[in-house]
Each structure stands twice: as C-alpha cells, then as structure tokens.
Amino acid sequence: MMKTTVKKCLFPAAGYGTRFLPATKAMPKEMLPVLNKPLIQYGVEEAVDAGCETMAIVTGRGKRAIEDHFDISYELEHQIKGTSKEHYLSEIRNLICKCNFSYTRQVQMKGLGHAILTGEILIGQEPFAVLLADDLCDAPNKGVLAQMMQVYEQYGCCVVAIEEVPKSQTNRYGIIAGQLIDGKDDIYRVETMVEKPDPKDAPSNLAIIGRYILTPDIFDILRETKAGVGGEIQITDALLELAKKGKVIAYRFEGKRFDCGSVDGFVMAINHFYEISKA
Ligand code: G1P
C-alpha cells in the first residue's frame, strides 16, 4: 500500500445501468460480478492499494446492496463459522477492515459532474480520487490509481487517466488534447478537453477513462458549471476551467481497461480475469 496525501476515493454509483436491463432492474450495476466479485469491490481494492482510507460512495435509490456488501452479514457469518466454507468470506472481511465507507445519496441524476459535487459533503477540502467502477482496470505491476498517485505527488494538480481509442469512438468519452511534458511519453499537460465530441470535431483520440485525482477547487467550479452534452453537468467541462490554467495533467496509464458498462466489455473482462485466475 502506498503513502500519499490523497486519502479519499469517491465512487459515483447512482446511475441506473440501463444498458444491463433487466439484470439491473432490482440490483445496482456496480454489483454485477466479474467472476465471483462485484465490480465495485475491484474498485475499492484498487483505491485501498493506492493508499486511500475512506471510500465515499454516492449512491441513489435501489443501491442498498452496495452498503450491505461492505458490511458484516451476521447471519452469514453465523452460518458458515467453523465450516470449510469460511475462507470464501476472508477476502471481503479483510477489505472491510482496511478502510471506512461513507455514503450519500444523489437524489436527481444530473450527470457525473453533479454526482461528484454531491460527494463534496463526504470529501471536504482535500484532494481526492474518483473511480468509476464500470471502467474495470487490470495493471501488471501497480494499480492504475496508484500509478496516478505518483503523478499527482509530482505535479500537485488534477490528473486524469487516458488511453488511445479508435477515432470513430470519440463520441463515447471525454477527449483531451495537450503537450507531452518533461520528456515523458505518457504525461501530457492538458490544453483542451471536450465531452463526447463527434469524431470530426475531436481534438485527438486520447480518451479519459474513469479514474481521476481532483483538487477540491473543482467543487466551486462544478457549482457554476452549466449542463452540457446530454443535458448533464459534465466533469469534463469543469476540468476544462482548470486546464486553461495549466492545472490538469493527463496520464497514459499502464494496463488494460474494460468498459463494463457495455455487455461486450463486460464479457471481455470476465474472459480476461478468468484467464489470469487459471494462470
Ligand atoms: C464518463 C465521462 C467521460 C469519460 C467516461 C469514462 O462518461 O463523462 O468523460 O470518458 O466516463 O468511462 P460516461 O461513460 O459516464 O457516459
């Protein structure tokens, strides 16, 4: 576990998961399992590994299963205590011991920027990470958030994780453009960023994926940010204000990322994690 000044990780988890209906009708999409572990648990493990101690989860209606997952189930503990099945619980038990969970509800779904602003009450005035659990990442050496923490410690400003995507897919992501800095081939100073541009308008094919480290001045900016693409308050639009002042770094991370918000990406993730579990 690394030492960092970023101690809290915010998880926006209020979305409806419409692309996974009917599976998500009565179950949060964050609880969909890849093998035997729900998506949000992979996210919490990545955040703990990056040195975060508090998981600040922005939930919504119908998301109670997330809170129950990160709590003791006395009935279950009682049933399997002393049996050969007890070890199945040890991983989640250990994880719960390593961090705190705090929750708030987003009453209206007004976009990712709005979800992050809703989490302000759990974060306060300190830098924090944001992790979108449906972007599931697997990195060979060090988790993606832990990699980003090192970048944050060096530059002390907002950091977004990026990867190259086919130009035809720019309308699915926040897209950045900027200059490589300090002779590195994976660190950009962001000059502009735009949410879900048409390929013909996209300033590059460098897409933001669901990992951010944000400084708390983002909250005041979000309060002033008007609804953008899709009628939603976009974190990309708020970050653009900081990028104009040179205060956003984009980091091309090491590792693989699966879009588990889509059925195709979800199936790829399952195959990937199955292969490594057998290796
Ligand atoms: C959100 C962000 C987008 C980012 C994406 C990463 O979009 O708005 O900028 O590229 O997450 O997954 P969403 O996928 O929630 O529409």
PDB file of all heavy atoms in Angstrom, residues 176-182 184 186-192 206 248-250:
ATOM      1  N   ILE A 176      -9.159  14.597 -24.553  1.00  0.00           N
ATOM      2  CA  ILE A 176      -8.231  15.691 -24.215  1.00  0.00           C
ATOM      3  C   ILE A 176      -7.300  15.974 -25.389  1.00  0.00           C
ATOM      4  O   ILE A 176      -7.117  15.141 -26.281  1.00  0.00           O
ATOM      5  CB  ILE A 176      -7.355  15.359 -22.982  1.00  0.00           C
ATOM      6  CG1 ILE A 176      -6.342  14.229 -23.271  1.00  0.00           C
ATOM      7  CG2 ILE A 176      -8.193  14.978 -21.771  1.00  0.00           C
ATOM      8  CD1 ILE A 176      -4.920  14.676 -23.328  1.00  0.00           C
ATOM      9  N   ALA A 177      -6.691  17.159 -25.359  1.00  0.00           N
ATOM     10  CA  ALA A 177      -5.532  17.423 -26.215  1.00  0.00           C
ATOM     11  C   ALA A 177      -4.556  18.228 -25.394  1.00  0.00           C
ATOM     12  O   ALA A 177      -4.965  19.013 -24.528  1.00  0.00           O
ATOM     13  CB  ALA A 177      -5.939  18.175 -27.474  1.00  0.00           C
ATOM     14  N   GLY A 178      -3.267  18.008 -25.636  1.00  0.00           N
ATOM     15  CA  GLY A 178      -2.250  18.739 -24.880  1.00  0.00           C
ATOM     16  C   GLY A 178      -0.873  18.390 -25.378  1.00  0.00           C
ATOM     17  O   GLY A 178      -0.718  17.764 -26.437  1.00  0.00           O
ATOM     18  N   GLN A 179       0.118  18.798 -24.608  1.00  0.00           N
ATOM     19  CA  GLN A 179       1.521  18.579 -24.982  1.00  0.00           C
ATOM     20  C   GLN A 179       2.160  17.582 -24.022  1.00  0.00           C
ATOM     21  O   GLN A 179       1.951  17.683 -22.815  1.00  0.00           O
ATOM     22  CB  GLN A 179       2.309  19.898 -24.858  1.00  0.00           C
ATOM     23  CG  GLN A 179       1.800  21.022 -25.727  1.00  0.00           C
ATOM     24  CD  GLN A 179       1.990  20.726 -27.210  1.00  0.00           C
ATOM     25  OE1 GLN A 179       2.948  20.054 -27.603  1.00  0.00           O
ATOM     26  NE2 GLN A 179       1.056  21.188 -28.014  1.00  0.00           N
ATOM     27  N   LEU A 180       2.951  16.681 -24.603  1.00  0.00           N
ATOM     28  CA  LEU A 180       3.782  15.832 -23.737  1.00  0.00           C
ATOM     29  C   LEU A 180       4.758  16.732 -22.995  1.00  0.00           C
ATOM     30  O   LEU A 180       5.258  17.710 -23.565  1.00  0.00           O
ATOM     31  CB  LEU A 180       4.560  14.826 -24.594  1.00  0.00           C
ATOM     32  CG  LEU A 180       3.754  13.646 -25.130  1.00  0.00           C
ATOM     33  CD1 LEU A 180       4.569  12.891 -26.192  1.00  0.00           C
ATOM     34  CD2 LEU A 180       3.334  12.694 -24.007  1.00  0.00           C
ATOM     35  N   ILE A 181       5.012  16.434 -21.712  1.00  0.00           N
ATOM     36  CA  ILE A 181       5.921  17.302 -20.949  1.00  0.00           C
ATOM     37  C   ILE A 181       7.045  16.502 -20.286  1.00  0.00           C
ATOM     38  O   ILE A 181       6.949  15.277 -20.140  1.00  0.00           O
ATOM     39  CB  ILE A 181       5.170  18.147 -19.879  1.00  0.00           C
ATOM     40  CG1 ILE A 181       4.369  17.255 -18.929  1.00  0.00           C
ATOM     41  CG2 ILE A 181       4.308  19.210 -20.530  1.00  0.00           C
ATOM     42  CD1 ILE A 181       3.798  17.991 -17.736  1.00  0.00           C
ATOM     43  N   ASP A 182       8.053  17.227 -19.882  1.00  0.00           N
ATOM     44  CA  ASP A 182       9.191  16.688 -19.112  1.00  0.00           C
ATOM     45  C   ASP A 182       9.847  15.483 -19.786  1.00  0.00           C
ATOM     46  O   ASP A 182      10.336  14.575 -19.104  1.00  0.00           O
ATOM     47  CB  ASP A 182       8.751  16.314 -17.681  1.00  0.00           C
ATOM     48  CG  ASP A 182       8.325  17.543 -16.878  1.00  0.00           C
ATOM     49  OD1 ASP A 182       8.758  18.649 -17.276  1.00  0.00           O
ATOM     50  OD2 ASP A 182       7.593  17.391 -15.902  1.00  0.00           O
ATOM     51  N   LYS A 184       8.628  13.006 -21.131  1.00  0.00           N
ATOM     52  CA  LYS A 184       7.960  11.709 -20.905  1.00  0.00           C
ATOM     53  C   LYS A 184       7.101  11.379 -22.116  1.00  0.00           C
ATOM     54  O   LYS A 184       6.685  12.271 -22.859  1.00  0.00           O
ATOM     55  CB  LYS A 184       7.052  11.811 -19.678  1.00  0.00           C
ATOM     56  CG  LYS A 184       7.748  12.348 -18.433  1.00  0.00           C
ATOM     57  CD  LYS A 184       7.989  11.214 -17.456  1.00  0.00           C
ATOM     58  CE  LYS A 184       8.738  11.655 -16.227  1.00  0.00           C
ATOM     59  NZ  LYS A 184       8.056  12.650 -15.431  1.00  0.00           N
ATOM     60  N   ASP A 186       4.222   9.606 -21.573  1.00  0.00           N
ATOM     61  CA  ASP A 186       2.910   9.241 -21.034  1.00  0.00           C
ATOM     62  C   ASP A 186       2.265  10.356 -20.196  1.00  0.00           C
ATOM     63  O   ASP A 186       1.228  10.141 -19.585  1.00  0.00           O
ATOM     64  CB  ASP A 186       3.033   7.947 -20.202  1.00  0.00           C
ATOM     65  CG  ASP A 186       4.114   8.027 -19.127  1.00  0.00           C
ATOM     66  OD1 ASP A 186       4.724   9.106 -18.981  1.00  0.00           O
ATOM     67  OD2 ASP A 186       4.342   7.014 -18.445  1.00  0.00           O
ATOM     68  N   ILE A 187       2.899  11.535 -20.160  1.00  0.00           N
ATOM     69  CA  ILE A 187       2.348  12.628 -19.340  1.00  0.00           C
ATOM     70  C   ILE A 187       2.131  13.880 -20.194  1.00  0.00           C
ATOM     71  O   ILE A 187       3.077  14.416 -20.794  1.00  0.00           O
ATOM     72  CB  ILE A 187       3.294  12.930 -18.154  1.00  0.00           C
ATOM     73  CG1 ILE A 187       3.345  11.685 -17.274  1.00  0.00           C
ATOM     74  CG2 ILE A 187       2.840  14.174 -17.377  1.00  0.00           C
ATOM     75  CD1 ILE A 187       3.837  11.865 -15.897  1.00  0.00           C
ATOM     76  N   TYR A 188       0.880  14.303 -20.238  1.00  0.00           N
ATOM     77  CA  TYR A 188       0.515  15.474 -21.038  1.00  0.00           C
ATOM     78  C   TYR A 188       0.049  16.601 -20.126  1.00  0.00           C
ATOM     79  O   TYR A 188      -0.657  16.345 -19.137  1.00  0.00           O
ATOM     80  CB  TYR A 188      -0.672  15.169 -21.966  1.00  0.00           C
ATOM     81  CG  TYR A 188      -0.410  14.149 -23.042  1.00  0.00           C
ATOM     82  CD1 TYR A 188      -0.406  12.783 -22.743  1.00  0.00           C
ATOM     83  CD2 TYR A 188      -0.205  14.536 -24.361  1.00  0.00           C
ATOM     84  CE1 TYR A 188      -0.181  11.836 -23.731  1.00  0.00           C
ATOM     85  CE2 TYR A 188       0.017  13.592 -25.363  1.00  0.00           C
ATOM     86  CZ  TYR A 188       0.022  12.251 -25.040  1.00  0.00           C
ATOM     87  OH  TYR A 188       0.237  11.311 -26.034  1.00  0.00           O
ATOM     88  N   ARG A 189       0.392  17.818 -20.454  1.00  0.00           N
ATOM     89  CA  ARG A 189      -0.270  18.973 -19.843  1.00  0.00           C
ATOM     90  C   ARG A 189      -1.505  19.232 -20.725  1.00  0.00           C
ATOM     91  O   ARG A 189      -1.376  19.460 -21.930  1.00  0.00           O
ATOM     92  CB  ARG A 189       0.677  20.179 -19.867  1.00  0.00           C
ATOM     93  CG  ARG A 189       0.081  21.453 -19.352  1.00  0.00           C
ATOM     94  CD  ARG A 189       0.214  21.658 -17.855  1.00  0.00           C
ATOM     95  NE  ARG A 189       1.592  21.636 -17.375  1.00  0.00           N
ATOM     96  CZ  ARG A 189       1.921  21.533 -16.078  1.00  0.00           C
ATOM     97  NH1 ARG A 189       0.979  21.456 -15.159  1.00  0.00           N
ATOM     98  NH2 ARG A 189       3.190  21.511 -15.699  1.00  0.00           N
ATOM     99  N   VAL A 190      -2.677  19.173 -20.132  1.00  0.00           N
ATOM    100  CA  VAL A 190      -3.905  19.266 -20.935  1.00  0.00           C
ATOM    101  C   VAL A 190      -4.153  20.720 -21.321  1.00  0.00           C
ATOM    102  O   VAL A 190      -4.098  21.620 -20.480  1.00  0.00           O
ATOM    103  CB  VAL A 190      -5.116  18.710 -20.142  1.00  0.00           C
ATOM    104  CG1 VAL A 190      -6.401  18.888 -20.940  1.00  0.00           C
ATOM    105  CG2 VAL A 190      -4.896  17.232 -19.802  1.00  0.00           C
ATOM    106  N   GLU A 191      -4.427  20.934 -22.594  1.00  0.00           N
ATOM    107  CA  GLU A 191      -4.733  22.289 -23.074  1.00  0.00           C
ATOM    108  C   GLU A 191      -6.222  22.451 -23.343  1.00  0.00           C
ATOM    109  O   GLU A 191      -6.792  23.504 -23.152  1.00  0.00           O
ATOM    110  CB  GLU A 191      -3.925  22.578 -24.345  1.00  0.00           C
ATOM    111  CG  GLU A 191      -2.449  22.739 -24.018  1.00  0.00           C
ATOM    112  CD  GLU A 191      -1.550  22.764 -25.220  1.00  0.00           C
ATOM    113  OE1 GLU A 191      -2.026  22.489 -26.363  1.00  0.00           O
ATOM    114  OE2 GLU A 191      -0.347  23.053 -25.028  1.00  0.00           O
ATOM    115  N   THR A 192      -6.823  21.387 -23.825  1.00  0.00           N
ATOM    116  CA  THR A 192      -8.271  21.458 -24.033  1.00  0.00           C
ATOM    117  C   THR A 192      -8.884  20.094 -23.772  1.00  0.00           C
ATOM    118  O   THR A 192      -8.192  19.066 -23.804  1.00  0.00           O
ATOM    119  CB  THR A 192      -8.613  21.973 -25.460  1.00  0.00           C
ATOM    120  OG1 THR A 192     -10.019  22.232 -25.513  1.00  0.00           O
ATOM    121  CG2 THR A 192      -8.254  20.966 -26.531  1.00  0.00           C
ATOM    122  N   LEU A 206      -7.315  10.731 -27.629  1.00  0.00           N
ATOM    123  CA  LEU A 206      -6.931  10.396 -26.254  1.00  0.00           C
ATOM    124  C   LEU A 206      -8.147  10.550 -25.350  1.00  0.00           C
ATOM    125  O   LEU A 206      -8.612  11.668 -25.083  1.00  0.00           O
ATOM    126  CB  LEU A 206      -5.787  11.308 -25.787  1.00  0.00           C
ATOM    127  CG  LEU A 206      -4.493  11.192 -26.601  1.00  0.00           C
ATOM    128  CD1 LEU A 206      -3.483  12.242 -26.158  1.00  0.00           C
ATOM    129  CD2 LEU A 206      -3.905   9.780 -26.480  1.00  0.00           C
ATOM    130  N   VAL A 248      -4.254  20.722 -15.228  1.00  0.00           N
ATOM    131  CA  VAL A 248      -4.715  19.342 -15.431  1.00  0.00           C
ATOM    132  C   VAL A 248      -3.642  18.555 -16.198  1.00  0.00           C
ATOM    133  O   VAL A 248      -3.169  18.997 -17.249  1.00  0.00           O
ATOM    134  CB  VAL A 248      -6.060  19.280 -16.193  1.00  0.00           C
ATOM    135  CG1 VAL A 248      -6.515  17.822 -16.359  1.00  0.00           C
ATOM    136  CG2 VAL A 248      -7.141  20.086 -15.480  1.00  0.00           C
ATOM    137  N   ILE A 249      -3.286  17.418 -15.635  1.00  0.00           N
ATOM    138  CA  ILE A 249      -2.333  16.503 -16.274  1.00  0.00           C
ATOM    139  C   ILE A 249      -3.131  15.288 -16.760  1.00  0.00           C
ATOM    140  O   ILE A 249      -4.023  14.806 -16.063  1.00  0.00           O
ATOM    141  CB  ILE A 249      -1.277  16.021 -15.243  1.00  0.00           C
ATOM    142  CG1 ILE A 249      -0.422  17.178 -14.736  1.00  0.00           C
ATOM    143  CG2 ILE A 249      -0.420  14.890 -15.803  1.00  0.00           C
ATOM    144  CD1 ILE A 249       0.564  17.735 -15.725  1.00  0.00           C
ATOM    145  N   ALA A 250      -2.795  14.815 -17.968  1.00  0.00           N
ATOM    146  CA  ALA A 250      -3.378  13.549 -18.443  1.00  0.00           C
ATOM    147  C   ALA A 250      -2.267  12.513 -18.449  1.00  0.00           C
ATOM    148  O   ALA A 250      -1.151  12.788 -18.906  1.00  0.00           O
ATOM    149  CB  ALA A 250      -3.962  13.723 -19.839  1.00  0.00           C
TER     150      ALA A 250
END
